[in-house]
Amino acid sequence: QVQLVESGGGLVQAGGSLRLSCAASPRPFSSYVMGWFRQAPGKEREFVAGISWTGSMLYYADSVKGRFTISRDNAKNSVYLQMNSLKPEDTAVYYCAAARTVGISTGVAAYDSWGQGTQVTVSS
């Protein structure tokens, strides 16, 4: 039941950076996990990164590890995805999602709330 709104997408050249933001309303409960997913045309929606609303749990997909960083600002009810060294294969619609779980899940089915998505396009 958490409303999520993504922002920060755009067009960037390979090797560039973008920061995505996800604003949640109302404030997520402490048991929530926040995740970033992406979906390219003709592809399945895939997990990118996840973070617990409280505690210190973090998880990244192998494809973005070392390049992307997920973070949160509890006071602003927001989650961020800093994307560096972007590659053309990162091109996709990026979605913010929230799940009520004790651990970080990489499965789409685990997430109860979804944002509308923000387009990220990386040119070669």
Side-chain angles (χ1 to χ4, degrees), residues 5-8 18-24 34-36 48-51 53 58 60 68-83 94-96:
V5 180
E6 305 96 336
S7 62
L18 285 173
R19 189 183 74 160
L20 305 183
S21 298
C22 173
M34 308 299 294
W36 285 98
V48 175
I51 187 170
W53 191 246
L58 293 169
Y60 296 94
F68 291 10
T69 302
I70 188 170
S71 62
R72 66 172 190 253
D73 188 334
N74 295 53
K76 295 181 179 180
N77 299 347
S78 297
V79 178
Y80 308 96
L81 185 68
Q82 178 66 46
M83 305 185 294
Y94 283 70
Y95 297 90
C96 181

Side-chain angles (χ1 to χ4, degrees), residues 14-92:
S17 299
L18 285 173
R19 189 183 74 160
L20 305 183
S21 298
C22 173
S25 180
R27 183 174 185 174
F29 293 104
S30 61
S31 60
Y32 268 70
V33 164
M34 308 299 294
W36 285 98
F37 289 76
R38 65 186 182 186
Q39 187 167 22
K43 303 292 184 179
E44 295 182 353
R45 191 168 298 188
E46 66 174 352
F47 175 84
V48 175
I51 187 170
S52 57
W53 191 246
T54 58
S56 58
M57 291 188 294
L58 293 169
Y59 192 77
Y60 296 94
D62 289 340
S63 60
V64 305
K65 193 175 298 181
R67 299 188 298 122
F68 291 10
T69 302
I70 188 170
S71 62
R72 66 172 190 253
D73 188 334
N74 295 53
K76 295 181 179 180
N77 299 347
S78 297
V79 178
Y80 308 96
L81 185 68
Q82 178 66 46
M83 305 185 294
N84 298 326
S85 301
L86 283 162
K87 304 175 181 180
E89 51 262 44
D90 295 318
T91 296

